[in-house]
mmCIF file of all heavy atoms in Angstrom:
data_model
loop_
_atom_site.group_PDB
_atom_site.id
_atom_site.type_symbol
_atom_site.label_atom_id
_atom_site.label_comp_id
_atom_site.label_asym_id
_atom_site.label_seq_id
_atom_site.Cartn_x
_atom_site.Cartn_y
_atom_site.Cartn_z
ATOM 1 N N PHE A 1169 176.532 100.323 103.822
ATOM 2 C CA PHE A 1169 176.295 99.168 102.961
ATOM 3 C C PHE A 1169 174.822 98.957 102.664
ATOM 4 O O PHE A 1169 174.478 98.210 101.765
ATOM 5 C CB PHE A 1169 176.870 97.912 103.610
ATOM 6 C CG PHE A 1169 178.347 98.024 103.887
ATOM 7 C CD1 PHE A 1169 178.871 97.653 105.107
ATOM 8 C CD2 PHE A 1169 179.200 98.528 102.922
ATOM 9 C CE1 PHE A 1169 180.227 97.755 105.357
ATOM 10 C CE2 PHE A 1169 180.556 98.634 103.172
ATOM 11 C CZ PHE A 1169 181.072 98.255 104.395
ATOM 12 N N SER A 1170 173.919 99.584 103.417
ATOM 13 C CA SER A 1170 172.493 99.387 103.167
ATOM 14 C C SER A 1170 171.922 100.421 102.215
ATOM 15 O O SER A 1170 170.733 100.448 101.969
ATOM 16 C CB SER A 1170 171.718 99.455 104.496
ATOM 17 O OG SER A 1170 171.891 100.730 105.087
ATOM 18 N N GLN A 1171 172.762 101.286 101.639
ATOM 19 C CA GLN A 1171 172.237 102.350 100.796
ATOM 20 C C GLN A 1171 171.621 101.849 99.504
ATOM 21 O O GLN A 1171 170.783 102.500 98.914
ATOM 22 C CB GLN A 1171 173.353 103.364 100.468
ATOM 23 C CG GLN A 1171 173.856 104.111 101.693
ATOM 24 C CD GLN A 1171 172.731 104.708 102.521
ATOM 25 O OE1 GLN A 1171 171.985 105.536 102.032
ATOM 26 N NE2 GLN A 1171 172.597 104.275 103.764
ATOM 27 N N ASP A 1172 172.050 100.706 99.039
ATOM 28 C CA ASP A 1172 171.473 100.181 97.796
ATOM 29 C C ASP A 1172 170.386 99.157 98.065
ATOM 30 O O ASP A 1172 169.923 98.489 97.172
ATOM 31 C CB ASP A 1172 172.555 99.550 96.919
ATOM 32 C CG ASP A 1172 173.202 98.354 97.590
ATOM 33 O OD1 ASP A 1172 173.174 98.315 98.820
ATOM 34 O OD2 ASP A 1172 173.719 97.484 96.866
ATOM 35 N N LYS A 1173 169.949 99.048 99.328
ATOM 36 C CA LYS A 1173 168.873 98.109 99.637
ATOM 37 C C LYS A 1173 167.545 98.823 99.419
ATOM 38 O O LYS A 1173 167.132 99.661 100.219
ATOM 39 C CB LYS A 1173 168.966 97.623 101.097
ATOM 40 C CG LYS A 1173 170.295 96.959 101.424
ATOM 41 C CD LYS A 1173 170.460 95.669 100.670
ATOM 42 C CE LYS A 1173 171.762 94.986 101.052
ATOM 43 N NZ LYS A 1173 171.995 93.788 100.284
ATOM 44 N N LEU A 1174 166.878 98.501 98.328
ATOM 45 C CA LEU A 1174 165.638 99.163 97.987
ATOM 46 C C LEU A 1174 164.457 98.345 98.483
ATOM 47 O O LEU A 1174 164.589 97.240 98.984
ATOM 48 C CB LEU A 1174 165.561 99.359 96.469
ATOM 49 C CG LEU A 1174 166.735 100.153 95.877
ATOM 50 C CD1 LEU A 1174 166.552 100.284 94.375
ATOM 51 C CD2 LEU A 1174 166.878 101.518 96.510
ATOM 52 N N GLY A 1175 163.278 98.938 98.314
ATOM 53 C CA GLY A 1175 162.070 98.268 98.739
ATOM 54 C C GLY A 1175 161.716 97.113 97.844
ATOM 55 O O GLY A 1175 162.447 96.717 96.960
ATOM 56 N N LYS A 1176 160.520 96.575 98.075
ATOM 57 C CA LYS A 1176 160.157 95.345 97.375
ATOM 58 C C LYS A 1176 160.012 95.546 95.883
ATOM 59 O O LYS A 1176 160.183 94.612 95.117
ATOM 60 C CB LYS A 1176 158.851 94.789 97.961
ATOM 61 C CG LYS A 1176 157.657 95.720 97.804
ATOM 62 C CD LYS A 1176 156.413 95.095 98.372
ATOM 63 C CE LYS A 1176 155.220 96.025 98.233
ATOM 64 N NZ LYS A 1176 153.984 95.433 98.723
ATOM 65 N N ASP A 1177 159.687 96.748 95.437
ATOM 66 C CA ASP A 1177 159.569 97.012 94.007
ATOM 67 C C ASP A 1177 160.791 97.698 93.454
ATOM 68 O O ASP A 1177 160.784 98.210 92.346
ATOM 69 C CB ASP A 1177 158.334 97.875 93.723
ATOM 70 C CG ASP A 1177 157.049 97.169 94.109
ATOM 71 O OD1 ASP A 1177 156.975 95.956 93.865
ATOM 72 O OD2 ASP A 1177 156.138 97.809 94.635
ATOM 73 N N GLY A 1178 161.870 97.734 94.238
ATOM 74 C CA GLY A 1178 163.065 98.414 93.769
ATOM 75 C C GLY A 1178 163.041 99.891 94.088
ATOM 76 O O GLY A 1178 163.853 100.659 93.603
ATOM 77 N N VAL A 1179 162.103 100.337 94.935
ATOM 78 C CA VAL A 1179 161.982 101.744 95.295
ATOM 79 C C VAL A 1179 162.251 101.899 96.773
ATOM 80 O O VAL A 1179 161.852 101.062 97.583
ATOM 81 C CB VAL A 1179 160.566 102.271 94.963
ATOM 82 C CG1 VAL A 1179 160.440 103.726 95.309
ATOM 83 C CG2 VAL A 1179 160.256 102.038 93.493
ATOM 84 N N VAL A 1180 162.932 102.972 97.153
ATOM 85 C CA VAL A 1180 163.254 103.202 98.559
ATOM 86 C C VAL A 1180 161.973 103.421 99.336
ATOM 87 O O VAL A 1180 161.123 104.220 98.958
ATOM 88 C CB VAL A 1180 164.181 104.435 98.705
ATOM 89 C CG1 VAL A 1180 164.465 104.698 100.163
ATOM 90 C CG2 VAL A 1180 165.472 104.193 97.949
ATOM 91 N N SER A 1181 161.823 102.689 100.420
ATOM 92 C CA SER A 1181 160.605 102.773 101.209
ATOM 93 C C SER A 1181 160.634 103.999 102.111
ATOM 94 O O SER A 1181 161.657 104.634 102.331
ATOM 95 C CB SER A 1181 160.447 101.513 102.062
ATOM 96 O OG SER A 1181 161.509 101.418 102.978
ATOM 97 N N ALA A 1182 159.454 104.330 102.663
ATOM 98 C CA ALA A 1182 159.367 105.505 103.527
ATOM 99 C C ALA A 1182 160.215 105.338 104.778
ATOM 100 O O ALA A 1182 160.871 106.267 105.240
ATOM 101 C CB ALA A 1182 157.899 105.744 103.902
ATOM 102 N N ALA A 1183 160.205 104.137 105.330
ATOM 103 C CA ALA A 1183 161.019 103.889 106.525
ATOM 104 C C ALA A 1183 162.493 104.075 106.231
ATOM 105 O O ALA A 1183 163.239 104.625 107.048
ATOM 106 C CB ALA A 1183 160.752 102.474 107.044
ATOM 107 N N GLN A 1184 162.917 103.634 105.058
ATOM 108 C CA GLN A 1184 164.319 103.782 104.696
ATOM 109 C C GLN A 1184 164.662 105.256 104.502
ATOM 110 O O GLN A 1184 165.740 105.703 104.854
ATOM 111 C CB GLN A 1184 164.611 102.986 103.430
ATOM 112 C CG GLN A 1184 164.605 101.486 103.651
ATOM 113 C CD GLN A 1184 164.686 100.718 102.354
ATOM 114 O OE1 GLN A 1184 164.081 101.091 101.372
ATOM 115 N NE2 GLN A 1184 165.430 99.643 102.364
ATOM 116 N N LYS A 1185 163.721 106.022 103.914
ATOM 117 C CA LYS A 1185 163.972 107.450 103.737
ATOM 118 C C LYS A 1185 164.110 108.151 105.084
ATOM 119 O O LYS A 1185 164.953 109.032 105.267
ATOM 120 C CB LYS A 1185 162.831 108.083 102.938
ATOM 121 C CG LYS A 1185 162.824 107.669 101.472
ATOM 122 C CD LYS A 1185 161.693 108.345 100.716
ATOM 123 C CE LYS A 1185 161.707 107.955 99.246
ATOM 124 N NZ LYS A 1185 160.606 108.579 98.496
#
Side-chain angles (χ1 to χ4, degrees):
F1169 302 133
S1170 61
Q1171 295 310 299
D1172 63 335
K1173 302 293 183 184
L1174 303 180
K1176 62 179 179 178
D1177 297 320
V1179 181
V1180 178
S1181 63
Q1184 288 171 321
K1185 289 181 179 179

